[in-house]
Amino acid sequence: MEPPRPIKRSEKAGLPPGSLVYVGRAKAVSGPPRITVIEYGPDHFAEQTLQAVTDLHPLKPTPMVTWINVDGVANPQILKAFGETFSLHPLLLEDILNTDQRPKCEFTETNIYAILKMFEFDTVKQQILTEQVSLVVGENYLITFLEEVGDEFDAIRERLHINHSKFRTSGPDYLAYSLIDTVVDRYFIVLETMGEALDILEAQIESGYDPKLLKRIHRIKREMIFLRKYIWPVREVVTTLQHADTPLLPDVIRPYLRDVYEHTIQVMDTLDTYRDLLAGIQDLYLSIASNRLNEIMKILTIISTIFIPLTFITGVYGMNFLYMPELSWRWGYFTVWLVMLLIAGGMILFVRRKQWL
Amino acid sequence: MEPPRPIKRSEKAGLPPGSLVYVGRAKAVSGPPRITVIEYGPDHFAEQTLQAVTDLHPLKPTPMVTWINVDGVANPQILKAFGETFSLHPLLLEDILNTDQRPKCEFTETNIYAILKMFEFDTVKQQILTEQVSLVVGENYLITFLEEVGDEFDAIRERLHINHSKFRTSGPDYLAYSLIDTVVDRYFIVLETMGEALDILEAQIESGYDPKLLKRIHRIKREMIFLRKYIWPVREVVTTLQHADTPLLPDVIRPYLRDVYEHTIQVMDTLDTYRDLLAGIQDLYLSIASNRLNEIMKILTIISTIFIPLTFITGVYGMNFLYMPELSWRWGYFTVWLVMLLIAGGMILFVRRKQWL
Amino acid sequence: MEPPRPIKRSEKAGLPPGSLVYVGRAKAVSGPPRITVIEYGPDHFAEQTLQAVTDLHPLKPTPMVTWINVDGVANPQILKAFGETFSLHPLLLEDILNTDQRPKCEFTETNIYAILKMFEFDTVKQQILTEQVSLVVGENYLITFLEEVGDEFDAIRERLHINHSKFRTSGPDYLAYSLIDTVVDRYFIVLETMGEALDILEAQIESGYDPKLLKRIHRIKREMIFLRKYIWPVREVVTTLQHADTPLLPDVIRPYLRDVYEHTIQVMDTLDTYRDLLAGIQDLYLSIASNRLNEIMKILTIISTIFIPLTFITGVYGMNFLYMPELSWRWGYFTVWLVMLLIAGGMILFVRRKQWL
Amino acid sequence: MEPPRPIKRSEKAGLPPGSLVYVGRAKAVSGPPRITVIEYGPDHFAEQTLQAVTDLHPLKPTPMVTWINVDGVANPQILKAFGETFSLHPLLLEDILNTDQRPKCEFTETNIYAILKMFEFDTVKQQILTEQVSLVVGENYLITFLEEVGDEFDAIRERLHINHSKFRTSGPDYLAYSLIDTVVDRYFIVLETMGEALDILEAQIESGYDPKLLKRIHRIKREMIFLRKYIWPVREVVTTLQHADTPLLPDVIRPYLRDVYEHTIQVMDTLDTYRDLLAGIQDLYLSIASNRLNEIMKILTIISTIFIPLTFITGVYGMNFLYMPELSWRWGYFTVWLVMLLIAGGMILFVRRKQWL
Amino acid sequence: MEPPRPIKRSEKAGLPPGSLVYVGRAKAVSGPPRITVIEYGPDHFAEQTLQAVTDLHPLKPTPMVTWINVDGVANPQILKAFGETFSLHPLLLEDILNTDQRPKCEFTETNIYAILKMFEFDTVKQQILTEQVSLVVGENYLITFLEEVGDEFDAIRERLHINHSKFRTSGPDYLAYSLIDTVVDRYFIVLETMGEALDILEAQIESGYDPKLLKRIHRIKREMIFLRKYIWPVREVVTTLQHADTPLLPDVIRPYLRDVYEHTIQVMDTLDTYRDLLAGIQDLYLSIASNRLNEIMKILTIISTIFIPLTFITGVYGMNFLYMPELSWRWGYFTVWLVMLLIAGGMILFVRRKQWL
């Protein structure tokens, strides 16, 4: 996974449409791709890992469901092989390779394509990581492409092992739904992390002023902007799937898709709520900073207001004029002290009347 | 009831859809659930409290209306029993258990499901509390689920006692409407509390600067964000009910639902008005704080402008040069005083011309 | 009339729908209600004041038009009597009594109900007052309910005296239109008062800084928020009336309703323009306040920058060290003056270069 | 023309609908109205100026097109005469007289009415002036009403002189289109003036701080608010004309109206862009003002930080205690200088480390 | 190319519609126009450069596709020649010449017209440059107009050389699509440059305060406003093309246009994200500036708070009264030092308690 930052697409500009070029930053980090093929039916379950993409061959018509999962799509060759084996549209393969792709879904006569974004919170770097998930639903197969090798779908793989479960008795549509549901469920986890970060931030700001919190606010705001950019179109994807008129999505799956749809709405609601909360927290921070400046200036002004006139008086009697009658008065010094105390008292009264103390 | 804060859903992520897991914070606080069954008709009224969920059994076809109220849904077992007895959809049971659910309503062939949020103002903690209310309307029954044991619907229970009242002669649709109306009416009470808080806040800000008001503003803003999040979808719920094409909602109930709809519109209007008012109050606060800084700096500048030049003059004649002609002048000291008074007067004039005094 | 503030509705919460309870603040102030009945036709005009609500009786079928005006609706008994005599819907009577009602209009088979808000500017308290106006249009009658006894519709009553005028030859639809037109026309008067207040405010802010203007800005903003809340739905009311498919509104009245509609659009436009203007005025105020702080700090800094170094020099030669060669120099004192003048000059140059003078 | 300010409509409130009262400020300034009648066909052109409104008489059916232009509509009598001669609707005559009218267009069976706003930039008063233009399109005539005597349409009048030109061979629809196009084209000129004002403002703000720019920003913002108010509905007017189903607008004129429509869209786009630019310029101004305050405070703090401790030291050795060992040291004075230089140096280092110098 | 600034259209105001006047700033800079004619089919490719516009002649019906590219449209004569040769609508020619034109597309019976904006980043002037691209699609030809001589479409010209490529076997619709795709792809490059500028800006602001960054923020904001103005309507253009019901766009081209459409959506998303990011960066800058002011004032206040009282004390004992008992005390001087240290310590404690150190 990678932080949600814009990716250089410029190297693609000028190439003919349908050119398969990987656009992303996984190039360096990811190892070789991992291709697993799971074939299952109510009573049947078989899993194998393909050694090379050349082992891929077209599916025979069978009542079994085949799930092919590809971890690591950085290699255009693999996609090309899939494109040829399953006759996928070149423009869509291009979208799968372009990891800066906006979430979308598309229908052809034989397939449904859906591209989504998955998020994870990197607790070490305190940063949100993103990964593109692409699904291709066919009549009796599902192909999934992930940017990097990961364990995001292990829970589903586990559940597939159970004989005669809902998974095993349903078609690739239910599997696809489960994967999308898993992706959307992960949004809640990321949002919870953000919600906790907001709570901590708010508590810190209320407990005392710290200029470092400023950058924290800014960082969270930035992450939210990116989250919003990638989550917002997911709503569209799910609602399109829900209302799609295609035999690949039977009526029995619609309530499930509606459920996912409601989850995405809730994710958006929560994200918007967090945005409002963060805006409120930022206002609070700025107001507290301004309060603090007020406080500082108040102290400065009180000290100055009291002592500057007194210092002036001491200056007067520090002058060296030969003829200064007060200097030789017996009680001159004490009178001056008295005058200074009166002035100080008056100033303190003035300051109190202004409600500064 | 609980404060309207986001709830950890992460423990649900990865579970298969339809898994009944309670998502909420009522677990610890709420006691055992309370199940009351009221059966009524124009001339008949019977109320009983179920000892255990096992006492629940399917309803016989009868002209009577049965209202089953469950206080405390934290227990998945109870919901499962209801699901089996009344054949409710597992995804909807899941929504009822998930107390972070967005208000929604859904229709099946035999039932209407509506999930709403109820609010209460905790005058002790000065905080808004929230509770999820779920309604399941059937042909001759209404099931309601509340998060915790409470007395919110006691007024309606009272009115059900009156023979041949509108309640007793109507079906479960009128009862459902009354409950929704009660929930929406409670919004006005919470809004009134907020309105009063705003009035007090405004009066306090106008009467004098107090940094503590800042946090108060922030708190109210936060509560409003949460209120808005939960009240906004209620509008959708009510309008869906109003225009639903289902035999469970006869035409005679529509004007009533339209009335509830108008109330929710008014709640939203009022909430938006309060948001604008709060924004205005915050602006006022910040401007008053800035005014105050202006005022403080003005005092500091006046004091400094008058006394710093005078102190410089006393400094000059406090120097110890052997040859300083003014020091031996007969009227030197008095001349200096005169000069200083002139300078002070000039400075005061300058300050007055700048309209600082 | 009363200031546009939210009203306590909490006392209504829990009552069955259709309960006639007056919600408003006119209770204490208004005297007994005044019921006037005007019966008119092209050649006929008769006006009478009902002594008691019991004098009210159902209208006979007649080619005459009857206008019944009720000033002061605080009394639920009166409304109940009207409801029974003219068979009006209880939920609508409830809305008429609830003076916090959102402007709306509704159609039944025999009646049109419209609820509007009327505004007036109280020049003494410098506050906007609001009053609810409810209209019930029937086949040959119009009933109007006002919150308090007033003279708002006197101009129309006057014009009704003229034989064979447009009023006298038209039905209750034209009378209703005229009343709505009068209500909307009054909005322009209130807006003009606000426009003038904005002009004065702007002139005051441009002519000099005054912290009191802050509260004035806040007050006007608050009034605008309330105006907007009540005027916005009027647009909806008028457009609904304009496009209503009811025999109570013949086609000949549509161009007039369209005219009113355009007036409400213009009212909204003007209100939005004023909101933008007020926001601009507030920005101006804050910027002028900030300018002023800049100015004050500039003066303080100039004075300090020039005199603090000079005061330091006088301090140096005010020290009492036994061995300080400069003190015994013949031209020491004058040299110090020269140095101080040079420093002062340098500082003034520095300040000028910074464009502070 | 007059500045775009709200106009008192209150004197109209209470009058019956259709009352012809001039609402505007042209009363005092404008002289008597000027009525010119131009009759033209492919080979025919005749222009005459009516001495009095009584010379007006209904048009005979003729293949010629008649353009009647009225400069100065302040006189209700003239409009009344037109209303009677051409049987125009009283409510529309009322709109023409009301110069605060929102731009609109309306269709009757025999006429199209369009009311627009024309703008001009008064380079002397540096203010935008506005004038209402009303068009009445009939089968073979066009009547235009302008608020004041002016030369805005002289270019079109010139082009009408050319025999067999597009103007002379087309009907009143093309003439009406040309006039509307002229009005919209003038918007670009006003926008250009604003664009230039924005450029100058931006350059001035970037070159140096000047508090006067604040009021300039405010003035431009205010003008923009008014421009927007009057230009926005023009879009609606033109799109309504474009899609109107009336024989008065033949299909051949639609591409031209579409062209005008695109121009209004572009005007709105440009106005919105300018609003964003102005908001950016205001932000820049405020930030520069805040920068300046920062700068001023920095200087004050540097001066104070260096000299206040030094002045304290000189104060110490200016004390007159009999027993102060340092005073009689041989190198005391020079040591103090050294100490003071070290402190000053330390302070300068501190200030540099803080990146203030 | 030219910076995206509003262009003087005023010289056009008053001209009859369809007048061909070049509105733009390319007049001075561009040399003579360059007209290249490329004729191609699956097996055929011929390219020629026209010496003069008079060499232009109508196309014969042929299975070949002809692409005529005009670099430099400043000359109205050329456009007039094209208009006559290909019978193009005068209003559209006017739009092509007007380089301030809003992106749009239009359909006639024989042609599709599309006007787009191309952007380039001038790395020398650090400014975005803009150029208008106009396309006219006919049955077997495509005419493109560019404002200036450039190499933007060279990549496509190269690919046209390849025999039997998709280009060579498709009609002018595919060529037009490729050109639009090229234009939209260039938006990504400009956006990347802005994204990098934002990243650098953010890093600079986080690393230290620099008033110059303010103007940089303002400049980027201004560029974004202009980008948005020109890119936003492109979405409309592409969606109109995609859903157009014209034989010039066969069904086979729709998936490609859909792909372009998705790219424009992504461009808008990215631009909006950048706007939010820039707003966040500006907030950060202002907060850091405000932090800095806080910091500066803190130092000033600490120094003043500690030294002003001490200086007052030294002033007291610098007075020259004859009778000042303390002066003759044996430990007076040291006592004063002690008192001063105590006061300084107290002040430091006070400051620490306020969390300023």
Side-chain angles (χ1 to χ4, degrees), chain D residues 159 192 202 262 266 291 323, chain E residues 9 14 100 209 218 330:
Chain D
R159 267 186 266 141
E192 266 169 36
E202 195 175 28
E262 271 164 14
Q266 199 161 349
N291 255 355
Y323 188 72
Chain E
R9 288 176 65 127
D100 191 31
Y209 171 88
H218 178 66
R330 184 61 184 93

Side-chain angles (χ1 to χ4, degrees), chain E residues 6-248:
Chain E
I7 295 170
K8 282 229 170 194
R9 288 176 65 127
S10 45
E11 48 199 81
K12 275 209 63 179
L15 289 186
S19 306
L20 293 185
V21 175
Y22 172 69
V23 177
R25 273 154 311 184
K27 256 176 202 165
V29 289
S30 73
R34 192 181 66 186
I35 305 174
T36 49
V37 180
I38 294 175
E39 204 187 39
Y40 67 86
D43 301 294
H44 175 82
F45 182 88
E47 179 164 9
Q48 67 169 125
T49 305
L50 287 199
Q51 291 311 316
V53 75
T54 49
D55 296 352
L56 202 69
H57 49 77
L59 298 172
K60 282 157 284 186
T62 154
M64 299 289 152
V65 177
T66 306
W67 173 23
I68 307 174
N69 182 55
V70 184
D71 282 352
V73 293
N75 189 341
Q77 289 320 103
I78 294 171
L79 265 199
K80 219 178 155 189
F82 271 94
E84 282 161 9
T85 314
F86 294 92
S87 48
L88 309 176
H89 196 290
L91 281 178
L92 288 160
L93 293 178
E94 197 188 342
D95 289 342
I96 290 168
L97 266 182
N98 176 359
T99 62
D100 191 31
Q101 183 59 44
R102 200 175 177 259
K104 60 176 245 180
C105 81
E106 216 150 307
F107 301 91
T108 66
E109 271 178 42
T110 50
N111 291 110
I112 302 168
Y113 297 78
I115 296 179
L116 298 169
K117 291 282 166 186
M118 194 149 56
F119 297 105
E120 201 179 351
F121 193 77
D122 182 337
T123 46
V124 181
K125 294 190 199 158
Q126 290 281 319
Q127 207 177 21
I128 286 169
L129 303 179
T130 173
E131 186 175 349
Q132 185 159 305
V133 184
S134 310
L135 292 92
V136 182
V137 185
E139 205 195 334
N140 63 347
Y141 62 89
L142 172 74
I143 313 174
T144 49
F145 298 95
L146 280 106
E147 245 182 284
E148 285 171 48
V149 176
D151 57 358
E152 287 86 359
F153 293 154
D154 282 1
I156 285 173
R157 214 169 278 142
E158 283 308 309
R159 266 185 267 143
L160 267 180
H161 282 278
I162 304 157
N163 274 0
H164 291 280
S165 64
K166 178 117 181 100
F167 273 101
R168 293 277 283 275
T169 53
S170 309
D173 54 314
Y174 188 79
L175 183 58
Y177 147 72
S178 303
L179 294 174
I180 295 173
D181 193 48
T182 304
V183 167
V184 173
D185 267 4
R186 292 180 78 95
Y187 295 167
F188 285 105
I189 305 175
V190 171
L191 283 178
E192 266 169 35
T193 322
M194 304 216 83
E196 280 159 17
L198 285 181
D199 276 0
I200 293 168
L201 203 58
E202 195 176 27
Q204 282 174 323
I205 285 172
E206 288 207 344
S207 77
Y209 171 88
D210 180 0
K212 266 174 238 143
L213 297 176
L214 201 63
K215 287 183 190 172
R216 189 100 51 93
I217 291 173
H218 178 66
R219 293 251 166 85
I220 294 180
K221 202 195 278 175
R222 207 177 46 187
E223 305 281 284
M224 279 191 186
I225 290 169
F226 281 110
L227 267 186
R228 197 181 157 77
K229 188 189 164 187
Y230 288 120
I231 292 181
W232 188 251
V234 169
R235 204 184 82 145
E236 235 171 87
V237 170
V238 179
T239 196
T240 309
L241 285 176
Q242 197 190 335
H243 300 106
D245 179 25
T246 159
L248 292 170

Side-chain angles (χ1 to χ4, degrees), chain A residues 159 177 192 196 202 206 258 262 266 269 273 277 283 287 291 297 301 319-320 322-323 326 354, chain B residues 9-10 14 17 100 102 104 209 215 218-219 222 282 295 297 317-320 327 330 333:
Chain A
R159 266 185 268 141
Y177 147 73
E192 266 169 35
E196 280 159 17
E202 194 176 27
E206 289 207 343
R258 190 189 152 88
E262 270 165 14
Q266 199 161 350
D269 271 14
T273 304
L277 284 178
D283 279 1
S287 308
N291 254 356
M297 295 312 300
T301 304
M319 292 194 291
N320 297 319
L322 287 186
Y323 187 72
E326 300 97 321
K354 290 265 178 192
Chain B
R9 288 176 64 126
S10 46
D100 190 31
R102 197 174 180 262
K104 60 175 243 181
Y209 171 89
K215 286 184 192 172
H218 178 66
R219 292 251 165 85
R222 206 176 48 186
Q282 187 173 335
E295 187 72 7
M297 294 311 300
Y317 296 103
M319 291 195 292
N320 297 319
L327 294 185
R330 184 62 184 89
Y333 176 56

